[in-house]
Amino acid sequence: MNDNGVIHTDTSRTRNTTADFAITDTALGPFTALVDVDGAVLAAGWTDDAENLRGLIHTTLRPVQLRQRDSLGAVTEAITAYHAGDLTAIDPIPVRQRSGQFLTHAWEVLRTVPAGSTLTYTEFATKAGRPEATRAAANACARNAAALFVPCHRILRTGGALGGFRWGLPVKRKLLDHEGVHPGSARTERP
């Protein structure tokens, strides 16, 4: 227990009691990130509703309470830099998500899709090691709690259609435009 009375536990096994969050104004609207005690992103998205984001976190990692901060240091700096045009600013930020083996691996694979590139859901499934599991790959995108840092917006339907996005298709389209990808004529990265 630290001086503030907050108990910190090993997040590889159990959840912490408190997570910090900050809301950053962006051209796409408010962006909220929740971070673990070590600064790893637990959840993020284009919203000002931190409680909704908390609900997206796996129960074994979900904090009991949230504490608002003006800044999350490197995480807030990366959010600001990405939205200002430094598309790789988000890459070194640690993320912590938990689920079954395939989803966890799929989220790691998503982090390897560089800005300016896209994959189809089928290509993503192949890159994640399960070419027959297109629906499971789409589910990994749908269940991703750490938007932007785990860039599920870079996954498209075959033919370049946007598909779904928790934060809305207009946000997905603007993110891809920001990264220089124009759906329908998207550059794709081959697995």
Side-chain angles (χ1 to χ4, degrees), residues 37-117:
V37 66
D38 63 356
V41 174
L42 297 171
W46 289 268
T47 181
D48 59 3
D49 187 348
E51 187 58 38
N52 178 50
L53 284 174
R54 189 180 78 83
L56 300 177
I57 301 168
H58 191 275
T59 56
T60 61
L61 297 175
R62 187 177 301 146
V64 175
Q65 59 191 95
L66 299 175
R67 178 175 46 208
Q68 187 167 7
R69 300 290 188 190
D70 290 334
S71 173
L72 301 173
V75 172
T76 300
E77 291 168 11
I79 293 164
T80 301
Y82 171 87
H83 286 87
D86 180 357
L87 303 179
T88 62
I90 59 172
D91 296 347
I93 300 297
V95 171
R96 183 168 295 119
Q97 294 194 89
R98 184 173 296 149
S99 189
Q101 184 177 3
F102 177 74
L103 288 181
T104 301
H105 173 68
W107 292 326
E108 292 169 2
V109 170
L110 277 171
R111 294 202 78 192
T112 69
V113 180
S117 295

